[in-house]
Amino acid sequence: MRFGLFNLIPLGQTHAITAHSKDCEDFPQKGRISLTYTEMARSLAGFLVLVLVLVPVVSICEGASLFQPISDSHRSAALELFTLDHGSFESLEETYEALRTFQVLGMEKKPDVTAAACRFISETVGSSSSTPKDLLYALKANSIAECKIHEKASKGIISSLNAAVRGASSLLDFYYSVGGLVLIKDQSSKADIHLADAEGVFRSVKAFSQSDGRWRYSSNNPESSAFAAGIALETLAGIVSLASSELDQSLINTLKNDISKLFDSIEKYDDGTLYFNDKLVDGHDYQGPLSTTSSVLRGLTAFAASTTGNLNLPGDKILGLAKFFLGIGVPGDAKDFFYQIDALACLESNRVSIPLILSLPSTVLSLTKKDSLKVRVTTVFGSNAPPLAVKLVGAFSSGSKDASLVESQELKFDQVSGLHILNDLPESIDVGSYTFVFEVVLQEPEDEKVYVTGSQTKVPIFVTGLIKIENSEIVILDSDLGSIESQKKLDLAKKNAASLSANHLQKLRLSFQLTTPRGHAFKPHQAFLKLRHESEVEHIFVVGNSGKQFELVLNFLGLVEKFFYLSGKYDMELTVGDAAMENSLLVAIGHIELDLPEAPEKAPRPPPQPVDPYSRYGPKAEITHIFRAPEKRPPQELSLAFLGLTILPLLGFLIGLLRLGVNMKNFPTKPVPATFGVLFHVGIGAVLLLYVFFWLKLDLFQTLKILGFLGVFLVFVGHGVLSHLAAASAKLKSA
């Protein structure tokens, strides 16, 4: 996606910024970003980021795309996507996909699932109830895990799969059974496996083909599929390898013709990316472009490996398929990730054509740093390419249809780094965005039969540099005569402190020049002047240009209403920014004291300034409060004397008990009444202790809650004690 130039539009009391996207494939709709300036002005730093980050060219459309080979990011993603569940994967299919992915990526650090996989495989191949599908994925996983399969189990598998071939009635039945036989043949050196009627089985599978190169899953299903075509090609390749004698060549030629028809229906993007896709008829059977293209590619390479002769497929189509799988990046689903890696493994080594991918370590070059143009040509997995030459055959300014800016020239190959390098960019290349056109030429004629490079490759290149800023000045002019009232030279490389004054009958003129490193005029994405009044009211003005010269003239007589007749001090800031400009700037250039006439009665008023959300919802100011000085306390002796007086009633109570002759003679002696008596006195003590804690620590609510439980307890045990005493007293009276 590439954003075009921001257009600053004055809207009276507010300002808005609009951005229109180019009609790129990955951003088909035109978008509009609109912000009132009062919102943007709250954060000057954020506004600068909006200008200098959103504006740059992120990529260049018009068919120019860059594809990178498989990298370490895929290896990291594989570890995240293929996760174990209690030490193993959920199914044999998932186990095979994980093992295959780890194997293709050459990962050293990977989960150790061999033991669990072998146990899973042994259970499957040793079970009489295993389906051909189960056996296929068990054997696929075993081709990588290399577990030991007993000879007896191998014979049972062969017998079961041969029976499945004889009873097959659908494409998938043939696929599972034939695929299993091919795998057991490869894994067992003693097994001599052949199909009794290979040509008959071949014709049975061929019966599912359609005139457009697609295939049906069964004779009862009228819908054809490119995904099924890939399965069919892989199955037929297995039948050819299991045949005891060479098949009828006319069958092979007919199948090659079907493959050509299938590739005639291939779909493409503007950048040369090619893919297969099925129409969504039945959601259950539908396969997306990724799985469909992977299936076709797997079947194609398998069939090419099992037969002799060429398939006569254009190399550009194989290269387009490689671009499709590399262009999707890193899939976020384990199944899609496997489809991508497995398909690229087929492209890495096959008998059809091995695509070579042109990539650049960096597509952003700096004229200031004198960066070299570096190009790498590898296979899809980054393996070294055969001897070849890389030529820069054209360079075009983005969006321009003019002639090429450079003449054809060959890049120098560095054997140490494996890069093709152009040390100095041509003088015709200045700062900006370009589309470079490369051509890869194989040096050995024999390599042209094995590898495919495509005709030409377009790559987006962005060139940056330091922009020279000269003749910067700010002037106050007389409105009538145009004579200079005051003039200040500016150094825009640093903060300025120009102090100016003007009235409504005068003008302000700001001017400067921008020159590229190649000496050409430079027009940045953004160049505007901002005036900020003491009351925080702000105004923005776009600085126009004519060639190298940038100039802005403000006639204050015509701006008094837009300035809301606000006299006083205005701070001035200049912003010049562009993605290609390494020294973009946001610099204060001083202030101007404006003397404007008094506002008429019906003149527009300044808009209310928005409240900063941070000040409304942020932390409040700390409240500082000084409590009054405590009252003067009485002397310690008086306090102790008062404490003694409060204890005297307790002493009097104890003395009274002694005078009354209190004793324990009537304390119950039987176990149950005695227990109630002890608990009653313990409860009384607990209440007294609770009063102490209330005085020292507890609050009223806590005390009442505990006291409620103690009260119920005391009523219960007290009732038991009093009942015993009443019964004992009644016995004494009756006696």
Side-chain angles (χ1 to χ4, degrees):
M1 179 178 62
R2 177 191 176 205
F3 282 99
L5 176 66
F6 272 91
N7 301 309
L8 213 57
I9 304 175
L11 300 178
Q13 297 184 4
T14 59
H15 296 273
I17 290 181
T18 61
H20 299 280
S21 65
K22 299 295 183 183
D23 293 325
C24 300
E25 182 178 335
D26 57 344
F27 196 77
Q29 298 178 347
K30 288 191 175 182
R32 186 178 195 273
I33 301 174
S34 180
L35 301 172
T36 60
Y37 185 72
T38 51
E39 293 175 337
M40 296 183 298
R42 291 204 300 262
S43 175
L44 186 57
F47 180 56
L48 182 61
V49 170
L50 177 66
V51 172
L52 300 183
V53 176
L54 249 184
V55 170
V57 176
V58 181
S59 65
I60 302 173
C61 301
E62 301 171 359
S65 300
L66 185 63
F67 302 93
Q68 297 288 352
I70 295 299
S71 62
D72 289 337
S73 60
H74 283 79
R75 296 177 177 85
S76 300
L79 294 175
E80 296 178 3
L81 293 174
F82 292 100
T83 55
L84 299 176
D85 183 15
H86 302 290
S88 64
F89 294 101
E90 295 182 358
S91 65
L92 276 171
E93 183 177 358
E94 187 177 342
T95 301
Y96 163 68
E97 291 172 355
L99 291 174
R100 170 67 171 165
T101 302
F102 295 152
Q103 180 193 49
V104 171
L105 293 176
M107 297 176 57
E108 298 179 357
K109 296 182 179 179
K110 58 186 177 182
D112 186 9
V113 297
T114 304
C118 288
R119 185 171 59 254
F120 211 164
I121 292 168
S122 298
E123 293 175 357
T124 303
V125 300
S127 174
S128 59
S129 61
S130 297
T131 64
K133 180 180 179 180
D134 296 334
L135 293 174
L136 173 67
Y137 283 105
L139 293 171
K140 280 189 172 185
N142 190 58
S143 66
I144 302 173
E146 298 181 349
C147 310
K148 184 177 181 181
I149 299 179
H150 295 294
E151 185 177 350
K152 183 179 179 180
S154 298
K155 291 181 179 179
I157 294 173
I158 296 171
S159 176
S160 175
L161 292 177
N162 273 316
V165 171
R166 291 191 296 270
S169 60
S170 69
L171 178 60
L172 290 177
D173 291 341
F174 285 109
Y175 173 71
Y176 296 139
S177 54
V178 172
L181 288 172
V182 173
L183 289 168
I184 197 69
K185 179 182 179 181
D186 295 338
Q187 295 175 28
S188 177
S189 58
K190 297 182 181 180
D192 185 17
I193 303 174
H194 295 287
L195 287 176
D197 184 17
E199 189 167 312
V201 177
F202 193 101
R203 294 181 185 276
S204 297
V205 177
K206 184 67 176 64
F208 298 121
S209 66
Q210 300 293 292
S211 59
D212 60 354
R214 298 175 185 267
W215 294 64
R216 294 177 297 162
Y217 287 102
S218 67
S219 57
N220 298 326
N221 187 357
E223 299 298 333
S224 59
S225 163
F227 184 87
I231 293 177
L233 291 175
E234 193 174 355
T235 304
L236 294 173
I239 294 172
V240 172
S241 64
L242 293 173
S244 57
S245 60
E246 188 174 348
L247 297 181
D248 186 355
Q249 191 61 35
S250 63
L251 293 175
I252 304 298
N253 293 334
T254 302
L255 188 57
K256 290 181 179 180
N257 187 49
D258 290 342
I259 294 174
S260 298
K261 291 180 180 179
L262 178 63
F263 271 78
D264 289 340
S265 64
I266 200 168
E267 301 184 36
K268 65 178 181 178
Y269 292 118
D270 293 339
D271 59 359
T273 299
L274 302 177
Y275 66 98
F276 291 94
N277 195 16
D278 287 330
K279 295 180 180 179
L280 180 58
V281 178
D282 186 351
H284 178 72
D285 296 331
Y286 174 74
Q287 300 289 338
L290 182 58
S291 57
T292 301
T293 309
S294 177
S295 174
V296 172
L297 197 53
R298 186 166 53 250
L300 174 69
T301 54
F303 181 75
S306 65
T307 60
T308 58
N310 297 325
L311 295 180
N312 296 323
L313 289 176
D316 287 344
K317 290 191 175 182
I318 302 300
L319 183 61
L321 294 175
K323 290 180 178 180
F324 171 74
F325 287 107
L326 293 177
I328 61 177
V330 180
D333 177 75
K335 179 73 74 172
D336 291 341
F337 190 88
F338 164 74
Y339 284 139
Q340 181 196 38
I341 298 301
D342 187 55
L344 290 173
C346 295
L347 290 170
E348 180 77 0
S349 177
N350 65 83
R351 288 190 61 251
V352 184
S353 292
I354 299 177
L356 296 179
I357 303 301
L358 183 145
S359 61
L360 276 71
S362 176
T363 58
V364 179
L365 306 177
S366 172
L367 291 178
T368 306
K369 299 177 182 178
K370 297 183 179 180
D371 289 340
S372 300
L373 176 64
K374 300 178 181 180
V375 176
R376 187 189 303 274
V377 180
T378 63
T379 63
V380 292
F381 277 99
S383 301
N384 293 330
L388 52 81
V390 177
K391 296 180 180 180
L392 176 62
V393 297
F396 303 89
S397 180
S398 297
S400 173
K401 296 183 180 180
D402 296 337
S404 173
L405 300 175
V406 300
E407 296 181 356
S408 178
Q409 50 188 308
E410 183 175 336
L411 278 64
K412 183 179 179 181
F413 180 67
D414 181 18
Q415 294 184 350
V416 177
S417 63
L419 295 171
H420 299 262
I421 302 174
L422 180 64
N423 289 317
D424 298 318
L425 291 176
E427 287 294 325
S428 56
I429 301 299
D430 209 338
V431 295
S433 57
Y434 299 89
T435 299
F436 280 19
V437 183
F438 296 96
E439 186 176 48
V440 179
V441 181
L442 294 168
Q443 295 181 351
E444 299 295 335
E446 290 298 321
D447 291 334
E448 296 180 0
K449 301 177 182 179
V450 180
Y451 298 93
V452 57
T453 61
S455 55
Q456 293 182 343
T457 302
K458 296 180 180 180
V459 177
I461 299 293
F462 200 71
V463 182
T464 66
L466 288 175
I467 303 302
K468 190 176 182 180
I469 307 174
E470 301 176 303
N471 302 328
S472 306
E473 65 176 12
I474 187 167
V475 177
I476 299 298
L477 302 173
D478 182 78
S479 181
D480 295 329
L481 303 177
S483 58
I484 297 177
E485 295 288 336
S486 60
Q487 182 179 17
K488 299 289 184 181
K489 295 291 184 181
L490 301 175
D491 183 3
L492 298 182
K494 61 182 181 180
K495 184 177 179 180
N496 294 266
S499 178
L500 302 171
S501 62
N503 57 41
H504 66 288
L505 299 177
Q506 294 177 315
K507 298 178 181 179
L508 179 144
R509 186 183 70 196
L510 172 67
S511 61
F512 53 90
Q513 291 181 350
L514 298 179
T515 308
T516 67
R518 302 295 197 201
H520 302 131
F522 179 72
K523 184 178 181 180
H525 280 114
Q526 298 294 329
F528 51 81
L529 176 69
K530 178 164 64 176
L531 301 182
R532 182 191 296 114
H533 189 254
E534 298 169 321
S535 62
E536 300 300 325
V537 176
E538 299 180 345
H539 307 273
I540 285 182
F541 302 93
V542 177
V543 183
N545 76 300
S546 176
K548 298 180 181 180
Q549 184 71 23
F550 282 77
E551 185 175 278
L552 170 66
V553 178
L554 298 181
N555 187 352
F556 295 122
L557 183 60
L559 295 173
V560 288
E561 287 194 7
K562 293 184 181 296
F563 279 35
F564 308 110
Y565 295 90
L566 292 177
S567 299
K569 180 181 178 182
Y570 286 79
D571 291 324
M572 297 181 291
E573 285 182 339
L574 177 65
T575 300
V576 180
D578 191 277
M581 185 176 178
E582 295 179 2
N583 55 334
S584 296
L585 58 92
L586 170 63
V587 60
I589 58 176
H591 69 272
I592 181 172
E593 194 79 25
L594 282 182
D595 181 14
L596 302 180
E598 293 292 332
E601 183 178 351
K602 297 183 179 181
R605 299 298 178 186
Q609 297 302 306
V611 178
D612 187 359
Y614 185 82
S615 64
R616 177 183 295 181
Y617 303 108
K620 303 301 180 182
E622 182 180 353
I623 299 176
T624 303
H625 178 71
I626 300 177
F627 290 91
R628 68 178 184 176
E631 299 291 341
K632 186 177 181 181
R633 295 186 177 186
Q636 184 177 4
E637 295 78 5
L638 181 61
S639 298
L640 293 174
F642 184 77
L643 176 63
L645 291 176
T646 57
I647 296 176
L648 282 177
L650 177 60
L651 295 176
F653 172 72
L654 296 176
I655 293 172
L657 291 177
L658 294 175
R659 296 288 294 174
L660 291 174
V662 174
N663 55 66
M664 303 290 288
K665 293 180 179 180
N666 288 331
F667 196 85
T669 57
K670 295 182 179 181
V672 175
T675 301
F676 280 115
V678 172
L679 292 177
F680 180 76
H681 287 83
V682 170
I684 293 296
V687 172
L688 295 175
L689 184 62
L690 177 63
Y691 289 161
V692 174
F693 276 104
F694 170 64
W695 181 263
L696 297 176
K697 185 177 182 180
L698 300 178
D699 58 36
L700 180 61
F701 296 101
Q702 294 172 324
T703 304
L704 291 177
K705 186 187 298 183
I706 299 173
L707 185 61
F709 288 110
L710 290 176
V712 174
F713 174 75
L714 285 172
V715 169
F716 175 72
V717 296
H719 180 267
V721 173
L722 293 176
S723 297
H724 171 74
L725 294 176
S729 178
K731 288 181 180 180
L732 289 175
K733 290 180 180 180
S734 62

